[in-house]
Amino acid sequence: MAKKPYPLANVYGLLEPGPVVLVTTASSGRPNIMTMSWHTMIEFEPPLVGCIISNRNYSFGLLEATNECVINIPTVEIAEKVVACGNTSGANVDKFEKFGLTPMPAELVGAPLIKDCYANLECRVVDTGMVAKYGLFVVEVVKAWIDPAVKTPRTIHHLGSGNFMVAGETIKLKSAMK
Amino acid sequence: MAKKPYPLANVYGLLEPGPVVLVTTASSGRPNIMTMSWHTMIEFEPPLVGCIISNRNYSFGLLEATNECVINIPTVEIAEKVVACGNTSGANVDKFEKFGLTPMPAELVGAPLIKDCYANLECRVVDTGMVAKYGLFVVEVVKAWIDPAVKTPRTIHHLGSGNFMVAGETIKLKSAMK
């Protein structure tokens, strides 16, 4: 269950398939968790990710204040906790405690990793120019971790209104695409 | 097999799970197809989508010139054609003809729909402010179509290097999330 460092050049393959993720932030030692589905890779290396975060979220202020977060990728085993995090505001609740998730210290950022997720991406905000208009934070992944025991993660993908598609079979096609 | 109009308010649920899509463009009557995995919803309604398109793609110039495209969502049945589109440049090849895909006229834009895809989103570019820096086009979906016979589309999701996750089972969780 120990996480291992993961090459930054391979990070795109974790986010490109579009999983629901849990974004952690922390301010003054108090961590928060936000459920997020609106994200896209922007660059391979260093890996840049565009994250759409509404200013109605408690995490918006924490991210603006600290410029640091962790993108944690959960699997279906903790799907109910992922949804619970999305249904609750961190303004009043310690979601780690309430939903039984385990924080672990990150190496390069102040926000915690979520141990219960199979992959964790430590991120720094590098561009806030599109935050006012679209809530779009551009973050750079500066350190990545993965649980090497999880070979085919059953990630969850939001279809709207609490319906989720669970990652199915994997196929390999002859591709020149990165 | 006839497509039906799909409510714009529900479009997010088609793209939020992160499928590989085929972007069609057209200039001077000559259509092109590009395979794309780097996209995110930005707003629910009107639906705004952020699309990362490198200027190394032939479609980049067509999109810049016309400000119109169609986002077509394929399923695993045509996965080999999707990859073939990604491996080929439209500079020299008519991909519709070469890969046996069928164009259909759109209602509001000049780019064609791909009949072989279960959903088609007619789009207009509404913001090019981030194109120079990130290749990020913000497009608005102005008309959406869906094949009502496809209840659980087996979309494909790129894991990198030609490996694709195929959409698996669907689960429903009690969520207050839209």
Side-chain angles (χ1 to χ4, degrees), chain A residues 16 38 127 130 134 154 169, chain B residues 16 38 127 130 134 158:
Chain A
E16 189 168 318
W38 289 10
D127 192 340
M130 295 153 285
Y134 296 115
R154 298 187 68 214
E169 61 170 325
Chain B
E16 188 168 319
W38 289 10
D127 192 340
M130 296 154 283
Y134 297 116
H158 194 220

Side-chain angles (χ1 to χ4, degrees), chain A residues 30-114:
Chain A
R30 184 164 176 277
N32 192 35
I33 308 174
M34 193 194 90
T35 303
M36 179 175 78
S37 261
W38 289 10
H39 57 78
T40 180
M41 289 304 303
I42 290 180
E43 188 52 85
F44 285 106
E45 197 175 7
L48 297 183
V49 185
C51 301
I52 309 288
I53 298 178
S54 162
N55 61 12
R56 294 182 297 272
N57 288 297
Y58 182 64
S59 294
F60 182 94
L62 297 181
L63 190 55
E64 277 214 315
T66 63
N67 281 320
E68 293 180 346
C69 67
V70 178
I71 298 174
N72 306 272
I73 311 180
T75 46
V76 69
E77 291 80 5
I78 60 167
E80 293 196 2
K81 296 182 182 194
V82 172
V83 172
C85 284
N87 287 344
T88 317
S89 171
N92 321 305
V93 171
D94 178 338
K95 300 193 196 180
F96 278 101
E97 193 177 302
K98 176 148 186 172
F99 304 124
L101 294 165
T102 307
M104 287 174 58
E107 187 175 298
L108 298 178
V109 302
L113 316 179
I114 301 178

Side-chain angles (χ1 to χ4, degrees), chain A residues 5 12 53 55 62 84 86 103 113 117-118 122 128-129 150 152 167:
Chain A
Y12 76 95
I53 298 178
N55 61 12
L62 297 181
L113 316 179
C117 291
Y118 89 98
E122 303 184 21
T128 58
V150 180
T152 51

Side-chain angles (χ1 to χ4, degrees), chain B residues 16 27 32 34 42-43 53 65 67-68 74 89 102 112 124 127 131 144-145 147:
Chain B
E16 188 168 319
S27 185
N32 191 36
M34 193 195 90
I42 289 180
E43 188 52 84
I53 298 178
N67 282 319
E68 293 179 347
S89 170
T102 307
R124 290 208 182 96
D127 192 340
V131 170
W145 302 94
D147 179 348

